[in-house]
């Protein structure tokens, strides 16, 4: 007697079907979020109508009417709010652009110093990390601004060091003055940078393929100095320096770096560098000891082994948490408002908001800007991390 086995699945009630219940739950969550979003928008619209508040971004083209103490682009009181926004954004990008590489260099040096066999060096690095990591960043900014820079000499009492004056009113540096033929020097510098990048890429590829090493630092220095230098003298020395000079009670000429920027950079770099130091130390310790012993067995010196064997492997551990520190440094730059540095938060979410009353628009623009900067930073670092990631064969 033949036995027939049906291929049809047993009928299950929709209430007991996991797939149906999953779709129903997701639909309910989406509807709930949509309802919450609708309520927020509707309440905001009613609130603005009751207080005769006008929404929109038409105010971006209106005259701002306030000064910004540091502007990387042409800006005056007659400029528009849109230009004030760009000025604040560039000031924030300047802090992030300077702070990230400086904090990375400091963190790597201190992280390696913590593993030093020299007792004094390792203990000094430990004291730095523990002292900085366990005190609030805001207090550290106050320390650098009010306790250090404010106690520097005033311009009349300061002395020039290589043409630079470090005073309580900021750092005064010689400024370059470009004459005819300066473009020729600039073009030579760009060519030197391109040649340097090409050489380092070629040298890195050859080292991976054959193990041969090339004097990359010497060649880089030679290209960046010799080529622009030859162009400078060939063009008749078209670039000169404008040195700051004491006139009355202040210094005139040259270029000035605000004391608020100096304090902000010092605080952010030293604070973030302490966290990066611990990340670097953990990354190096994650490499098996046998790698170091094998390097020494091949005749490599400790510095060479660290540079060619340990650090390249440790980067795979270091880079992911390093991304978070880069993002933290950029976001922590909003504390600049506490010491008066005109970053995006101070200019846009502070002065512009108070003058226009466009709270929703200014805060939304500020948050979206920081989100975009953070996502861009993450994207770049994730790309770099993918290139350093260990590829299984």
């Amino acid at each position: 007697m033949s036995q027939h086995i049906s291929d049809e699945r047993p009928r299950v009630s929709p209430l007991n079907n996991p797939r149906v219940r999953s779709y129903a739950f997701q639909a309910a969550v989406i509807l709930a979020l949509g309802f919450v979003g609708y309520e927020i928008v509707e309440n905001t619209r009613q609130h603005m109508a009751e207080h005769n508040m006008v929404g929109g971004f038409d105010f971006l083209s209106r005259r701002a009417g306030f000064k910004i103490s540091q502007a990387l682009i042409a800006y005056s009181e007659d400029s528009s709010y849109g230009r004030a926004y760009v000025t604040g954004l560039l000031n924030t990008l300047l802090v992030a652009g300077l702070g990230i590489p400086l904090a990375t260099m400091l963190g790597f040096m201190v992280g390696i110093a913590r593993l030093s066999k020299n007792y004094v060096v390792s203990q000094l690095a430990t004291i730095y990390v523990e002292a900085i990591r366990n005190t609030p960043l805001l207090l550290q900014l106050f320390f650098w601004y009010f306790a250090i820079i404010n106690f520097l000499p005033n311009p009349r009492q300061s002395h020039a060091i290589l043409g630079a004056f470090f005073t309580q009113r900021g750092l005064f540096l010689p400024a370059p003055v470009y004459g005819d033929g300066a473009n020729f020097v600039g073009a030579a510098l760009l060519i030197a940078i391109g040649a340097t990048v090409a050489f380092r890429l070629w040298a890195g590829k050859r080292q991976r393929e054959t193990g041969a090493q090339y004097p990359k630092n010497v060649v880089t220095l030679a290209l960046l100095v010799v080529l622009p230098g030859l162009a400078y003298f060939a063009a008749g020395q078209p670039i000169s320096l404008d040195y700051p000079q004491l006139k009355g009670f202040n210094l005139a000429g040259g270029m000035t770096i605000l004391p608020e920027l100096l304090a902000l950079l010092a605080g952010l770099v030293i604070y973030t560098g302490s966290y990066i130091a611990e990340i670097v130390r953990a990354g190096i310790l994650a490499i098996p000891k046998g790698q170091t012993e094998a390097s020494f067995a091949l005749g490599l010196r400790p510095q060479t082994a660290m540079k060619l064997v340990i650090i390249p492997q440790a980067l795979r551990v270091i880079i992911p948490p390093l991304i978070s520190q880069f993002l933290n440094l950029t976001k922590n730059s909003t504390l600049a408002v506490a010491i008066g540095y005109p970053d995006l938060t101070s200019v846009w979410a502070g002065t512009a908001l108070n003058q226009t009353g466009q709270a929703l628009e200014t805060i939304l623009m500020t948050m979206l800007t920081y989100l975009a900067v953070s996502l861009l930073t993450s994207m770049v670092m994730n790309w770099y991390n993918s290139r350093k990631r260990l590829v299984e064969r």
Side-chain angles (χ1 to χ4, degrees), residues 172-389:
F172 295 80
L173 297 171
V177 178
Y178 303 103
D180 295 336
N183 293 337
F184 182 62
V185 180
L189 180 60
L190 291 177
I191 293 173
I193 292 174
T196 300
V197 172
F199 171 75
R200 295 186 75 89
L201 290 175
W202 175 83
K205 183 180 179 183
R206 288 286 298 169
Q207 182 179 341
R208 290 190 297 272
E209 293 176 349
T210 65
Q213 297 184 46
Y214 298 88
K216 291 188 284 190
N217 293 333
V218 175
V219 174
T220 297
L221 184 63
L223 284 172
L224 293 179
V225 172
V226 174
L227 193 57
L230 291 175
Y232 174 76
F233 287 106
Q237 304 182 15
I239 302 176
S240 59
L241 292 176
D242 176 25
Y243 288 90
Q245 301 289 334
L246 182 63
K247 292 184 178 179
F249 294 97
N250 203 355
L251 292 162
M255 59 180 178
T256 308
I257 300 178
L258 294 178
E260 292 81 8
L261 176 59
L262 295 174
L264 180 63
L265 273 178
L268 288 175
V269 168
I270 292 174
Y271 182 79
T272 309
S274 65
Y275 284 89
I276 293 177
E278 284 301 273
I279 293 172
V280 171
R281 185 176 71 92
I284 293 175
L285 290 177
I287 305 303
K289 193 176 180 180
Q291 295 288 322
T292 305
E293 295 172 347
S295 304
F296 293 161
L298 291 173
L300 296 180
R301 300 175 65 84
Q303 293 83 356
T304 308
M306 180 66 74
K307 176 184 174 184
L308 299 179
V309 178
I310 306 303
I311 292 296
Q313 296 184 74
L315 282 178
R316 295 162 187 152
V317 181
I318 292 172
I319 291 175
L322 197 61
I323 299 173
S324 298
Q325 294 306 318
F326 289 172
L327 301 182
N328 287 339
L329 187 145
T330 305
K331 290 182 288 188
N332 286 338
S333 68
T334 56
L335 292 175
V337 69
I339 56 175
Y341 178 72
D343 74 324
L344 179 63
T345 304
S346 175
V347 170
W348 196 242
T351 307
L353 187 154
N354 290 330
Q355 288 193 179
T356 62
Q358 307 281 137
L360 180 63
E361 292 82 358
T362 53
I363 294 297
L364 185 63
M365 286 181 65
T366 307
M367 292 177 67
L368 289 177
T369 302
Y370 279 102
L371 176 63
V373 172
S374 297
L375 290 179
L376 182 62
T377 306
S378 296
M379 185 176 67
V380 173
M381 290 303 297
N382 284 328
W383 170 81
Y384 182 68
N385 186 37
S386 66
R387 292 181 61 85
K388 294 294 181 182
R389 189 173 52 197

Side-chain angles (χ1 to χ4, degrees), residues 36-193:
V36 171
Y38 170 78
E39 286 294 322
I40 291 175
V41 172
E42 186 62 20
N43 286 339
T44 303
R45 189 188 65 78
Q46 291 181 4
H47 176 78
M48 294 177 67
E50 291 172 357
H51 293 80
N52 296 323
M53 297 172 64
V54 179
F57 295 92
D58 295 339
F59 71 98
L60 289 175
S61 59
R62 296 208 308 258
R63 179 177 179 271
F66 62 88
K67 292 182 179 179
I68 300 178
S69 57
Q70 175 184 288
L72 300 180
I73 59 174
Y75 176 85
S76 68
E77 296 179 12
D78 295 326
S79 300
S80 65
Y81 279 108
R83 198 166 187 84
Y85 165 79
V86 176
T87 303
L89 172 60
L90 291 177
N91 287 344
T92 293
L93 294 179
L94 175 67
V95 172
L98 293 175
I100 286 176
L102 291 175
T104 304
M105 288 189 287
L106 178 63
F108 267 80
M109 287 191 294
V110 176
I112 295 173
R114 284 207 69 185
L115 299 172
S116 172
K117 295 180 180 178
N118 187 307
Y119 179 79
V120 176
V121 172
S122 64
Q123 289 305 306
L124 286 176
T126 301
I127 292 172
Y128 158 72
V129 170
E130 296 302 330
I132 298 299
R133 285 202 315 166
N134 292 298
T135 50
L137 174 58
L138 183 59
L139 290 182
Q140 293 185 32
L141 293 180
F142 287 158
F143 170 77
W144 286 107
Y145 186 64
F146 295 112
I148 299 297
I149 293 183
N150 271 356
F151 280 92
L152 290 174
N154 60 47
R156 298 191 66 178
Q157 296 174 334
S158 63
H159 300 283
I161 302 175
L162 298 176
F165 294 85
F166 199 21
T167 75
Q168 60 185 207
R169 295 183 183 178
L171 179 60
F172 295 80
L173 297 171
V177 178
Y178 303 103
D180 295 336
N183 293 337
F184 182 62
V185 180
L189 180 60
L190 291 177
I191 293 173
I193 292 174

